[in-house]
Amino acid sequence: MNIMTLKNVKAFYVLEYWGEKRTIRAVNGVSLEVPEGEIFGIAGESGCGKSTLLKVLLSSIEPPLRLVEGKILYRVNGEERDVSSFKEGELRRLRWSFVSYIPQGSMHVLNPVKRVRDTFLEVLESHLKGEERRKWLSLAVEHLKELGLPPEVLTAFPHQLSGGMRQRVTIALATVLRPRVILADEPTTALDVVAQRAVLQLLKRIHREQGCTIVLVTHDMGIHAQLTTRMAIMYAGKIVEEGPTWEVFKSPLHPYTRHLIQSLPRIGDKSPRRGIPGNPPSLVSLPPGCAFHPRCPHASSRCAEEEPPLVEVREGHRVSCWLVRV
Ligand code: SF4
């Protein structure tokens, strides 16, 4: 059963500079199914559109981002709902309780001039009713305890906490109402290795104990290998490969996926890692045909002219490349 589904979604940033319009095709025709209970990874280089895809999944589409085409479906209480047509009030009711978001930097969520307690109170107050509301403090303390965080963090200001602790508090905030889906955007960026490990372990634990679905965006293929159960590879605003994580790592089908995996360091292998040649294309003017063709060692004339469709080549494993045939 899929908890979130995207159908041919196009979400573009439309900017105007000195009377000139620029359209950034950040999510350019993405169809995706997120099965309930998975840790679903979205990988790709910086600027490939993966963070925008997460905003689309959150249905947080604010100017200059526009939903140009497509549907965003959530399965809420067993019923599939098209949230792209929801009003802000309806979306607000779903945020934190059905779907929550862990942004790249914890300071986006934690107000620097408010104690952590007040941020928790804001989130809880808007969703709890009657008796529950009066118990918000014990709920927050209990939840922090469950996640191995001391209750003292509630009285702290964000700047009094370390980066790793702040990110763990952000995760605690995002999960206090036990949402069905957690969307996490590069949750370990800018953290040292020890703090990174603690954050990943915490996410794993929440997934196990709360039985929720996690969609994790990171450029770090090592994290995908450790944590995710299914993954999608994005390139130039599109998904170029998607499948079970173990299968993507064991037998990647798209040349871009192979490059991403080959660039990972390996224990005992001291040979230099090969990066991906060239740079990702500008999302303002995409190359014709397969957007990867200017960098692809296997490109043919067809690749420069025709865009390969994303097709299922094995059960649950899709790829978009002319080299791979069904
Ligand atoms: Fe390379 Fe062609 Fe496949 Fe694109 S379609 S990844 S250019 S072989």
Side-chain angles (χ1 to χ4, degrees):
M1 192 83 77
N2 301 316
I3 194 138
M4 283 183 169
T5 305
L6 299 182
K7 288 195 174 163
N8 191 31
V9 169
K10 292 188 178 175
F12 301 162
Y13 294 94
V14 183
L15 308 168
E16 243 181 277
Y17 290 112
W18 309 103
E20 201 184 310
K21 226 181 200 179
R22 277 159 66 97
T23 303
I24 302 169
R25 293 172 162 76
V27 175
N28 196 9
V30 169
S31 293
L32 187 71
E33 290 174 345
V34 180
E36 184 157 22
E38 300 262 354
I39 304 186
F40 191 102
I42 301 173
E45 290 165 286
S46 298
C48 69
K50 53 192 190 310
S51 291
T52 308
L53 182 61
L54 212 63
K55 281 190 189 160
V56 168
L57 281 169
L58 184 66
S59 198
S60 171
I61 300 168
E62 288 167 14
L65 184 63
R66 290 187 197 166
L67 182 66
V68 177
E69 210 178 302
K71 285 186 173 172
I72 308 163
L73 306 168
Y74 289 180
R75 184 169 291 280
V76 186
N77 299 326
E79 198 190 324
E80 197 152 75
R81 315 274 310 270
D82 182 359
V83 294
S84 44
S85 57
F86 272 26
K87 299 253 172 350
E88 190 45 43
E90 290 174 283
L91 286 173
R92 218 176 300 125
R93 276 193 289 281
L94 290 179
R95 301 250 165 87
W96 302 101
S97 56
F98 176 79
V99 56
S100 71
Y101 177 62
I102 302 166
Q104 266 190 38
S106 46
M107 290 312 251
H108 290 288
V109 174
L110 301 175
N111 188 331
V113 294
K114 280 187 179 170
R115 290 185 196 275
V116 170
R117 180 185 59 200
D118 298 327
T119 310
F120 264 85
L121 177 62
E122 260 173 34
V123 170
L124 288 167
E125 255 194 347
S126 57
H127 286 83
L128 299 181
K129 296 180 196 96
E131 185 59 19
E132 278 180 319
R133 225 176 218 193
R134 280 188 286 278
K135 288 193 204 150
W136 77 266
L137 188 59
S138 50
L139 262 171
V141 171
E142 191 52 36
H143 185 62
L144 288 173
K145 212 162 99 191
E146 274 170 18
L147 300 186
L149 293 163
E152 295 82 70
V153 297
L154 283 172
T155 52
F157 284 100
H159 71 267
Q160 293 174 312
L161 305 170
S162 68
M165 184 62 96
R166 266 202 307 268
Q167 192 60 313
R168 288 166 67 198
V169 169
T170 308
I171 294 171
L173 190 67
T175 52
V176 67
L177 288 166
R178 300 189 183 261
R180 300 307 309 139
V181 188
I182 299 165
L183 307 175
D185 190 5
E186 303 272 8
T188 58
T189 301
L191 299 182
D192 61 52
V193 184
V194 177
Q196 258 187 31
R197 209 174 120 81
V199 164
L200 294 179
Q201 277 175 345
L202 186 60
L203 284 173
K204 237 180 186 171
R205 197 170 140 199
I206 288 166
H207 175 253
R208 194 177 58 237
E209 288 172 6
Q210 297 191 2
C212 56
T213 305
I214 297 180
V215 182
L216 176 70
V217 159
T218 173
H219 64 279
D220 188 331
M221 291 295 279
I223 294 180
H224 286 290
Q226 273 180 55
L227 211 69
T228 67
T229 46
R230 228 186 135 69
M231 69 183 296
I233 312 287
M234 262 191 107
Y235 189 79
K238 288 182 188 284
I239 287 174
V240 294
E241 183 159 2
E242 191 223 331
T245 302
W246 68 269
E247 200 174 291
V248 170
F249 273 87
K250 189 166 168 259
S251 44
L253 298 172
H254 197 282
Y256 178 60
T257 314
R258 284 205 288 271
H259 272 293
L260 288 178
I261 293 171
Q262 277 164 10
S263 57
L264 271 175
R266 270 165 236 270
I267 296 168
D269 182 357
K270 295 207 173 80
S271 60
R273 296 288 104 209
R274 273 179 293 144
I276 304 169
N279 294 309
S282 156
L283 297 176
V284 177
S285 56
L286 292 163
C290 170
F292 189 55
H293 86 260
R295 303 172 78 187
C296 181
H298 312 288
S300 65
S301 54
R302 185 186 193 186
C303 303
E305 287 158 14
E306 289 175 59
E307 192 184 330
L310 185 65
V311 288
E312 190 167 55
V313 286
R314 292 182 204 133
E315 206 190 327
H317 194 152
R318 303 186 296 161
V319 67
S320 149
C321 174
W322 290 124
L323 278 185
V324 185
R325 290 167 204 275
V326 188

